[in-house]
Amino acid sequence: MPLGESLLNILTCTLKLFSNTLEKNIMDLESKRDEDKMALIQALVVNKKLDVKDIMVMVADFLMVGIEMTSHSTGFLLYHFARNPDK
């Protein structure tokens, strides 16, 4: 199986797992609705204007932003450590 197909299968399985988990937890979050103490993801889940696909896209964006920020910060630090080994 080519690498592209393998990666697509992994992504598809991950999305199905996330979708199933999210749908199972939506009912639980709606029953414990305390809007003053909600995390961002909880507020998105109980928002009736968003469906599961919208929430999945937002969570994927959060993950990608976190990964990108971590890699850029690490690269920045390693570059400056290499340029200034005595500090």
Side-chain angles (χ1 to χ4, degrees):
M1 176 179 291
L3 180 62
E5 285 183 39
S6 297
L7 292 175
L8 185 60
N9 287 338
I10 291 169
L11 179 61
T12 303
C13 290
T14 304
L15 289 175
K16 284 180 184 177
L17 176 67
F18 177 71
S19 177
N20 291 339
T21 304
L22 183 61
E23 289 174 3
K24 287 177 185 176
N25 289 316
I26 284 175
M27 299 302 282
D28 185 42
L29 286 173
E30 288 178 348
S31 67
K32 297 178 182 177
R33 196 173 197 161
D34 185 7
E35 295 185 13
D36 292 335
K37 297 179 182 179
M38 278 190 194
L40 177 62
I41 300 298
Q42 290 172 325
L44 291 174
V45 168
V46 297
N47 186 347
K48 297 297 181 188
K49 295 178 185 174
L50 298 173
D51 64 352
V52 174
K53 289 182 182 180
D54 294 331
I55 297 168
M56 288 176 55
V57 168
M58 288 182 191
V59 170
D61 287 344
F62 294 154
L63 289 173
M64 291 300 117
V65 167
I67 291 168
E68 186 175 334
M69 187 171 78
T70 302
S71 66
H72 283 286
S73 299
T74 304
F76 174 82
L77 287 173
L78 291 174
Y79 171 78
H80 284 286
F81 286 151
R83 296 281 298 176
N84 303 297
D86 56 330
K87 293 184 180 181

